[in-house]
Amino acid sequence: LSKGAVYDGLFHVSDWLPTLLSGAFDAAAVSVTDSAAQLEGRDHWDLVVSATAATDAAGGDSEEDPSTTAVEVSYEVRQEILVGLDLGQRGAADPSGVRAALRVGDWKLVFQEADENSGELGNFLFNLRDDPQETTDLSSAQPSQFEALFSTLVQTYLPAAIKDGVSEPDNSCYDTWDKQGGFVTPWH
């Protein structure tokens, strides 16, 4: 992105590899789309190119204050990010100990987190555009928004985590570490 470009979309760390691959290779010569389909992240290369062009057209490369030439880019590749999902000590056998956080657009659901004031577990809803510090819980004021995010968490992410389950730790990696003189190598 050029200096002064603003992107309000969601960009996860896993998005870097497919994005950089797409930008590094000519899509006609190398099928980045086919390879990227196997990657966890999303390709944001079109965003980088369109935001750069839009910012340059608005004078974003000038010596002016970037805040006066910022260009909002409406192109979004990702609408949601599962921030975290912890099945807890009980694991997949008993999902009642699940803790999670899900972001969809400007909204963030925090599920089964300790309240800073009372210490009791609770569920919280924040509008990150209006409240980036997550100080105002909107779960009671926005029940339909809370329910929408909660449904996405319960119907999409939780079943996948429980299906995959929690496996026992694989300590064979330590044997490989010792055999390889402290180097990380595949152990299976």
Side-chain angles (χ1 to χ4, degrees):
L1 295 174
S2 293
K3 178 180 173 182
V6 175
Y7 177 55
D8 288 331
L10 301 178
F11 195 105
H12 189 267
V13 67
S14 66
D15 297 336
W16 278 112
L17 182 58
T19 300
L20 293 175
L21 284 174
S22 184
F25 297 103
D26 179 8
V30 178
S31 181
V32 175
T33 306
D34 293 341
S35 299
Q38 298 175 16
L39 298 174
E40 180 119 353
R42 308 261 174 89
D43 177 5
H44 291 255
W45 186 253
D46 288 340
L47 155 75
V48 173
V49 173
S50 65
T52 299
T55 304
D56 290 347
D61 285 339
S62 69
E63 296 299 318
E64 298 174 36
D65 177 6
S67 64
T68 63
T69 57
V71 174
E72 298 250 352
V73 178
S74 61
Y75 176 85
E76 290 188 32
V77 173
R78 180 183 291 281
Q79 292 296 318
E80 64 186 45
I81 292 178
L82 180 66
V83 179
L85 178 62
D86 180 5
L87 292 175
Q89 296 293 344
R90 296 178 218 131
D94 181 5
S96 64
V98 169
R99 293 176 52 208
L102 173 67
R103 177 160 180 197
V104 178
D106 293 337
W107 296 96
K108 182 178 177 184
L109 168 70
V110 179
F111 181 72
Q112 293 287 75
E113 188 62 42
D115 182 275
E116 289 184 7
N117 299 320
S118 69
E120 294 182 24
L121 288 180
N123 304 317
F124 307 96
L125 179 69
F126 303 103
N127 182 321
L128 298 179
R129 180 174 300 279
D130 298 337
D131 180 20
Q133 300 298 317
E134 300 178 12
T135 59
T136 306
D137 174 25
L138 299 173
S139 58
S140 296
Q142 297 284 338
S144 61
Q145 189 66 45
F146 177 86
E147 184 58 37
L149 270 71
F150 182 75
S151 293
T152 300
L153 176 66
V154 170
Q155 294 173 6
T156 304
Y157 294 105
L158 190 56
I162 291 174
K163 180 181 141 252
D164 291 343
V166 179
S167 60
E168 294 297 317
D170 180 359
N171 293 324
S172 65
C173 62
Y174 298 115
D175 296 334
T176 304
W177 174 271
D178 291 338
K179 289 177 189 173
Q180 297 297 328
F183 289 96
V184 176
T185 61
W187 62 91
H188 287 273

